[in-house]
Amino acid sequence: AQSVSQHNHHVILSEAASLELGCNYSYGGTVNLFWYVQYPGQHLQLLLKYFSGDPLVKGIKGFEAEFIKSKFSFNLRKPSVQWSDTAEYFCAVGSGGFKTIFGAGTRLFVKA
Amino acid sequence: DSGVTQTPKHLITATGQRVTLRCSPRSGDLSVYWYQQSLDQGLQFLIQYYNGEERAKGNILERFSAQQFPDLHSELNLSSLELGDSALYFCASSETGDTEAFFGQGTRLTVV
């Protein structure tokens, strides 16, 4: 069965620290990859996506993610986090033309 | 505004009751997803429909059911409600099933 694993459930960082959130998936075919963010009290919204092409994808608010096909990974990164990045982050994998699976989410808390 | 409309925004009901949550997807989107989000369980995938047909099923209880109508709007029916069903219920839609998902603002259900 297809699955998406996010390695960290909770991450606490200080402002200006670098961020890397891990995401691995299990699916052998072509995939579309997404990171979504949910700010406190809000709905999920798209941070960035990868369909094809350059495996290093840049999203909004300085986030980027790298697709490593051989490792089935799509890790999210940001060089310097801000307090306003406090949110929950979800990795998602779309596959088979009709299905998207979300990871369990990582709650990020950035200390001011 | 994601273009996905959920009604009602808030719902308070008693245990044992039945409620219906409604979702109107973005114009042109054929796929609709339902998710339950609670503090202890996180984001749980319930069910997905594509063009009126059920495509994937997650952790949806037998007391819950859903359908997608010919006009593509969807309803999630929750019956014999229990206190533990109190949660935020999100609907999302996407053009197909594996492209970017757009989330509604959610329906906050409180069972008392």
Side-chain angles (χ1 to χ4, degrees), chain B:
Chain B
D1 182 13
S2 67
V4 178
T5 303
Q6 288 188 247
T7 56
K9 288 188 170 49
H10 302 275
L11 198 50
I12 302 175
T13 189
T15 54
Q17 294 299 305
R18 182 179 190 275
V19 296
T20 297
L21 312 184
R22 183 189 168 97
C23 171
S24 294
R26 280 192 332 149
S27 177
D29 284 357
L30 298 177
S31 192
V32 169
Y33 303 77
W34 285 99
Y35 293 87
Q36 179 194 58
Q37 188 176 41
S38 59
L39 281 175
D40 54 342
Q41 296 286 329
L43 187 71
Q44 297 282 319
F45 167 65
L46 296 179
I47 198 162
Q48 181 207 353
Y49 284 85
Y50 180 79
N51 205 19
E53 292 186 6
E54 182 184 307
R55 277 299 181 93
K57 217 167 188 176
N59 300 325
I60 187 165
L61 300 172
E62 285 191 12
R63 300 183 286 109
F64 296 0
S65 65
Q67 54 183 325
Q68 185 179 28
F69 294 87
D71 68 352
L72 301 177
H73 91 272
S74 179
E75 292 181 356
L76 179 67
N77 299 296
L78 314 175
S79 61
S80 303
L81 284 167
E82 301 174 359
L83 295 177
D85 298 327
S86 296
L88 197 52
Y89 290 84
F90 284 111
C91 168
S93 74
S94 64
E95 189 177 353
T96 58
D98 61 349
T99 50
E100 175 184 350
F102 294 84
F103 282 77
Q105 296 285 345
T107 293
R108 182 167 294 282
L109 173 67
T110 303
V111 182
V112 297

Side-chain angles (χ1 to χ4, degrees), chain A residues 52-92:
Chain A
S52 63
D54 188 344
L56 186 60
V57 181
K58 294 196 184 300
I60 59 172
K61 303 185 180 186
F63 286 90
E64 64 179 31
E66 184 175 13
F67 171 46
I68 302 179
K69 190 174 181 180
S70 60
K71 294 185 178 180
F72 298 90
S73 71
F74 190 55
N75 292 354
L76 181 71
R77 299 194 293 248
K78 185 170 184 179
S80 176
V81 294
Q82 301 173 317
W83 176 80
S84 58
D85 293 324
T86 294
E88 189 159 13
Y89 294 82
F90 295 89
C91 178

Side-chain angles (χ1 to χ4, degrees), chain A residues 18-38:
Chain A
S18 65
L19 170 72
E20 179 158 4
L21 302 182
C23 173
N24 285 88
Y25 64 93
S26 65
Y27 182 73
T30 302
V31 293
N32 296 330
L33 301 164
F34 309 88
W35 275 98
Y36 289 84
V37 60
Q38 185 180 26

